[in-house]
Amino acid sequence: AVDASAVVLNPHTDHFQVLVILYDVTYLRQVEQMQLDFVGNVSHELKTPVTAISGFAETLLQGAKDDPDALKQFLTIIYQESTRLSQLITDILALSQADSQNNSVQTVHLAKLVASVEASLQQQITQKQVHVMTEIPEDLTLQIDEMRLSQIIRNLLTNAIFYNHEAGNVLISATQKSNQQVELVVQDNGIGIESDEQQRIFERFYRVDKARSRNNGGTGLGLAIVAELVAKLDGKIQVNSQLGVGTRFVITLPNE
Ligand code: ADP
């Protein structure tokens, strides 16, 4: 796509001189389109739980509240859908903050940070009886934005627990590479991801199995947030996965 502007250079001479400037706006148009798509997706995703909440509340008000079974069933749906709505709003805010704020660099003790993220997910870990192991050098520190790194680990660990089998394993490991880089690996022996889905999982709102993810409160934004945060930290992320075998996310971060 091309935009043009023209300037008359010297109107006082007898021969007319015009400067035409052409701009390639393909990239800008793509960004605009992506923003429009995102707003459309957000509206759609928010509307689904809101419609359910108002629909079931209306049915209750119209008389279903007098049937104790219906009352319990509909209130449960209203509760679940409002939890989902709240999770969506939290993730959408996290995504926009990941994009907009600048890094606030601090010294981060990686083993301690991972332990605190793990502690915050203890309920999910216990419920699923997943074994979380860590292999992180005790003296490994990073000069990095702690909030961002913590959110990356939290989202990856949440998925490694969630898309795992009962009593499955998760390993979080880190190595200081010689060339001023730290490699952080989160791997599980869970359900795995088919190879043609692997590049799409970082897209906003993308879920491999929509029905299953929705039932379980997934928003399809967790990995989009991770990808955005890793980019903000000037890092790289890769996924290796095999269906039925497990998934491994490798993040490389600069540590100067
Ligand atoms: P969701 O909220 O659905 O978990 P994510 O953006 O975190 O969204 O992940 C996108 C999709 O990638 C998920 O729906 C799931 O199908 C797949 N996925 C993510 N992490 C894993 C994992 N560790 N093992 C298997 N599948 C995964």
Side-chain angles (χ1 to χ4, degrees), residues 114 118 130-136 157 168-173 185 187:
V114 169
E118 190 186 330
V130 165
H131 306 285
V132 180
M133 285 158 291
T134 51
E135 279 173 17
I136 302 169
L157 182 55
N169 295 318
V170 177
L171 175 65
I172 306 176
S173 59
V185 178
Q187 73 181 81

Side-chain angles (χ1 to χ4, degrees), residues 164-178:
N164 215 322
H165 309 290
E166 197 112 322
N169 295 318
V170 177
L171 175 65
I172 306 176
S173 59
T175 349
Q176 170 82 55
K177 297 277 165 185
S178 53

Side-chain angles (χ1 to χ4, degrees), residues 29-247:
R29 292 277 152 78
Q30 279 171 350
V31 171
E32 262 171 38
Q33 191 53 48
M34 274 164 64
Q35 282 168 345
L36 284 174
D37 289 349
F38 180 60
V39 171
N41 282 336
V42 166
S43 314
H44 173 78
E45 295 286 332
L46 293 177
K47 228 175 155 167
T48 312
V50 170
T51 307
I53 291 166
S54 65
F56 282 103
E58 192 183 8
T59 313
L60 283 174
L61 288 170
Q62 282 166 351
K65 67 178 185 332
D66 301 325
D67 171 353
D69 289 342
L71 180 64
K72 190 165 178 214
Q73 191 193 345
F74 294 176
L75 282 178
T76 306
I77 297 172
I78 290 173
Y79 174 67
Q80 285 167 344
E81 292 295 321
S82 44
T83 307
R84 175 167 179 76
L85 192 57
S86 157
Q87 186 60 52
L88 268 166
I89 293 167
T90 305
D91 281 358
I92 292 163
L93 282 176
L95 193 60
S96 92
Q97 278 170 2
D99 198 27
S100 63
Q101 285 170 3
N102 290 327
N103 285 325
S104 119
V105 177
Q106 311 125 74
T107 304
V108 176
H109 185 269
L110 190 60
K112 276 191 194 147
L113 180 67
V114 169
S116 83
V117 174
E118 190 186 330
S120 75
L121 293 171
Q122 201 50 54
Q123 202 192 340
Q124 287 92 313
I125 294 171
T126 312
Q127 208 173 13
K128 194 106 181 209
Q129 294 177 301
V130 165
H131 306 285
V132 180
M133 285 158 291
T134 51
E135 279 173 17
I136 302 169
E138 230 348 271
D139 59 352
L140 181 50
T141 58
L142 283 104
Q143 295 303 314
I144 206 160
D145 186 320
E146 181 166 11
M147 292 279 284
R148 291 200 151 128
L149 184 57
S150 157
Q151 174 111 49
I152 291 170
I153 299 168
R154 190 186 163 84
N155 289 11
L156 292 179
L157 182 55
T158 304
N159 284 348
I161 298 163
F162 186 78
Y163 299 106
N164 215 322
H165 309 290
E166 197 112 322
N169 295 318
V170 177
L171 175 65
I172 306 176
S173 59
T175 349
Q176 170 82 55
K177 297 277 165 185
S178 53
N179 51 347
Q180 312 284 318
Q181 280 184 332
V182 167
E183 190 178 85
L184 177 67
V185 178
V186 179
Q187 73 181 81
D188 63 68
N189 63 348
I191 63 171
I193 308 162
E194 250 179 286
S195 53
D196 48 345
E197 304 272 11
Q198 284 173 27
Q199 290 319 307
R200 301 209 59 193
I201 55 174
F202 296 102
E203 289 173 22
R204 294 167 176 194
F205 297 112
Y206 190 78
R207 284 166 292 212
V208 174
D209 181 341
K210 293 190 174 56
R212 185 193 55 200
S213 303
R214 182 169 292 273
N215 285 342
N216 292 296
T219 60
L221 286 174
L223 289 179
I225 295 169
V226 168
E228 195 84 47
L229 290 171
V230 169
K232 272 279 174 182
L233 296 175
D234 295 321
K236 288 202 164 58
I237 184 162
Q238 266 183 299
V239 59
N240 304 303
S241 184
Q242 209 181 327
L243 204 61
V245 177
T247 304

